[in-house]
Amino acid sequence: MLDFSRYEHRCGYIIHLDAGKRYFEAGHHIPFDHIKPPARLSRGKGKEKGKGKGKGKGKKKLSAERLELRKAEYLMDALTEFLLDCFRCFRRDAPPEARVRFVLPHSWRREVPHENPRFGNRPHKGLFLPTDSGIGAHFRRNGPTDVDRERLEVFIETMNGLLPHQDADADADNGEQAKSRFTVSDFTFETIPEDALLGPLLDEKEMGELLRTGPESMELYGVSPRAFIETYFPGSDSDSDSEM
C-alpha cells in the first residue's frame, strides 16, 4: 500500500466497472472473455443450521448464496485488476501530449454491508480517479467543486481522444464507437480514506516526462508536485526536486 498518510482523505470519482469494460471492449476491441469465475469454486460450509426437516434445505440454500457471493467477489477483483492493466498499457502507448494528461486510475477496497445481513460485511473493490486531497472525514461533504469537475473532464476527453477513428460509412462501427465513449454518468463522486487506496508506481521514464512537462500534469492527481513525486515515485532523491 502506498503511503498516503500525509492526506487523510482523497476525493475523486469512482469509475463504474461496466463503463471501463465497455470502453476497452467495444471501443478498442479488447477481449474480456477470460474474466470469469474458476471452473471449480468451493461452496464452503453454511453457518446456519435449520431445525427438523428444514435443516438440510436451509444449509444448502445458504451455501449456494455464499457461492454466488464468492463468484461476484472474484469477478469484481479480476475485472478491476485487468482494467488497471489496460489503463497502464494504453497510457504507455499513448502520444506524448495525451500521456501528460492521462491520470492513471487507482484501485480501492473497503468493507460494505452485504445485501443479506447474515453475511455481515463484504469486500468491495473498484477503480478510483483522484482529483483532490484534504484533511478530515467531512472533506468535500458538499460534493465536487469546479476543480474536481474540470479534472474529470480532462480524463474523459483524454480517454475518448484515444479511441480509434472509424470509417464514416461504417454505421455499425460508429454506433459501437459512440456507445464505448466515457461520459460523466460513468463516474460517481466519492471521498475515500487514504488507507483504502492503492495508487500506481511510475518508472523513471514516466516520471521524467512529467517533470519536463511541469507541475500541471502532476496536480491532476490532486496533490502537490512534491507530494506527487514522494508518493508515486518512491526512492526519489533531491535531484528530482531540482528538475521542477
Side-chain angles (χ1 to χ4, degrees):
M1 183 72 68
L2 294 181
D3 180 15
F4 286 108
S5 59
R6 66 177 61 248
Y7 301 109
E8 187 174 335
H9 287 76
R10 296 286 286 278
C11 72
Y13 294 85
I14 294 173
I15 305 173
H16 302 172
L17 294 181
D18 58 342
K21 179 176 181 292
R22 183 194 70 224
Y23 172 84
F24 287 108
E25 189 172 44
H28 293 282
H29 305 294
I30 303 297
F32 280 73
D33 296 341
H34 64 289
I35 306 295
K36 53 187 176 182
R40 300 184 64 180
L41 194 61
S42 173
R43 282 181 175 270
K45 296 182 179 180
K47 291 185 177 180
E48 289 192 356
K49 294 183 179 180
K51 295 182 179 181
K53 296 181 180 180
K55 180 178 179 180
K57 184 177 180 181
K59 184 175 181 180
K60 182 177 181 181
K61 181 179 180 181
L62 183 60
S63 296
E65 287 184 82
R66 286 193 176 279
L67 178 61
E68 291 305 311
L69 175 60
R70 289 177 183 174
K71 287 181 179 179
E73 291 173 355
Y74 180 90
L75 288 173
M76 180 174 58
D77 287 354
L79 180 56
T80 298
E81 292 303 319
F82 185 63
L83 286 173
L84 286 171
D85 289 342
C86 289
F87 280 114
R88 191 63 186 257
C89 290
F90 271 74
R91 185 188 185 280
R92 287 174 173 167
D93 293 338
E97 63 273 14
R99 284 199 302 270
V100 296
R101 290 163 49 89
F102 194 137
V103 174
L104 284 169
H106 298 37
S107 64
W108 67 280
R109 178 183 290 273
R110 66 181 176 185
E111 296 289 320
V112 298
H114 191 271
E115 291 79 2
N116 189 330
R118 290 181 294 176
F119 297 141
N121 291 336
R122 61 179 176 85
H124 187 83
K125 188 175 183 179
L127 298 175
F128 183 72
L129 177 72
T131 54
D132 207 349
S133 55
I135 302 297
H138 298 296
F139 173 64
R140 284 292 198 278
R141 62 182 176 181
N142 294 325
T145 65
D146 288 342
V147 170
D148 301 309
R149 286 186 283 266
E150 288 169 4
R151 288 173 177 169
L152 172 62
E153 192 61 35
V154 168
F155 179 82
I156 291 175
E157 290 178 356
T158 300
M159 296 306 304
N160 289 343
L162 295 176
L163 287 168
H165 296 292
Q166 301 288 350
D167 187 338
D169 295 329
D171 294 336
D173 284 344
N174 285 333
E176 289 300 312
Q177 184 83 346
K179 293 178 183 178
S180 67
R181 297 172 65 85
F182 277 123
T183 66
V184 174
S185 62
D186 295 325
F187 303 82
T188 300
F189 185 77
E190 185 71 81
T191 299
I192 295 179
E194 300 293 357
D195 59 5
L197 286 175
L198 180 62
L201 295 179
L202 302 181
D203 60 30
E204 188 172 350
K205 180 180 179 181
E206 291 170 321
M207 180 59 71
E209 185 175 51
L210 291 176
L211 288 172
R212 290 190 296 272
T213 303
E216 293 81 6
S217 296
M218 291 176 274
E219 290 170 350
L220 289 174
Y221 283 76
V223 294
S224 69
R226 181 180 294 275
F228 179 90
I229 295 172
E230 295 174 353
T231 301
Y232 299 100
F233 191 52
S236 60
D237 52 31
S238 57
D239 292 341
S240 297
D241 294 334
S242 63
E243 295 183 41
M244 295 178 55

